[in-house]
Amino acid sequence: MMNGNLDPQTPLYLGTEVHRHLVAGTSPTSVTFELVDLAVHCTMANSPVDNSDVPCGLQMMLSWLGSGLQAVNTTCLAHLLPVDWEGTTPDTQDLSTEMFGVPDLWQL
């Protein structure tokens, strides 16, 4: 199970509560919880990293599936990109153009 700490739809306190209930109903080692810093809802897709085109959440899920559901490789957490509050990266400018019609987030 993973949860972003900027997720407005599943706030961290709800994610940890769900994890607690899942662990209570199973073997404590069968359900892990990974906090993905600066990730929003749909953490699997919304956790960009600086060293791959594959989001960290997806990397972790694929590692877990590849291990036969035994272990999660969390090394990608050290490569999470910070939020681009300045709006200087091409991805942020493209999203701003798509959402607001202008590449400069603060031009509105």
Side-chain angles (χ1 to χ4, degrees):
M1 178 177 176
M2 63 184 99
N3 203 137
N5 62 355
L6 294 181
D7 186 343
Q9 291 171 290
T10 311
L12 188 56
Y13 76 92
L14 289 178
T16 55
E17 183 68 11
V18 167
H19 177 252
R20 188 176 68 77
H21 284 284
L22 289 173
V23 168
T26 63
S27 163
T29 59
S30 66
V31 181
T32 63
F33 182 85
E34 301 300 335
L35 173 62
V36 183
D37 196 31
L38 303 176
V40 295
H41 198 66
C42 195
T43 303
M44 190 171 62
N46 292 312
S47 50
V49 291
D50 62 12
N51 63 345
S52 175
D53 289 334
V54 180
C56 184
L58 182 55
Q59 288 182 45
M60 290 193 297
M61 185 193 76
L62 292 172
S63 76
W64 179 66
L65 292 172
S67 75
L69 314 183
Q70 298 301 309
V72 178
N73 181 340
T74 61
T75 57
C76 64
L77 292 172
H79 295 277
L80 289 167
L81 289 173
V83 176
D84 179 21
W85 297 114
E86 301 286 324
T88 57
T89 65
D91 286 343
T92 302
Q93 292 172 352
D94 289 347
L95 183 59
S96 179
T97 300
E98 182 181 325
M99 299 298 288
F100 306 121
V102 293
D104 183 346
L105 279 172
W106 307 108
Q107 182 180 347
L108 303 173

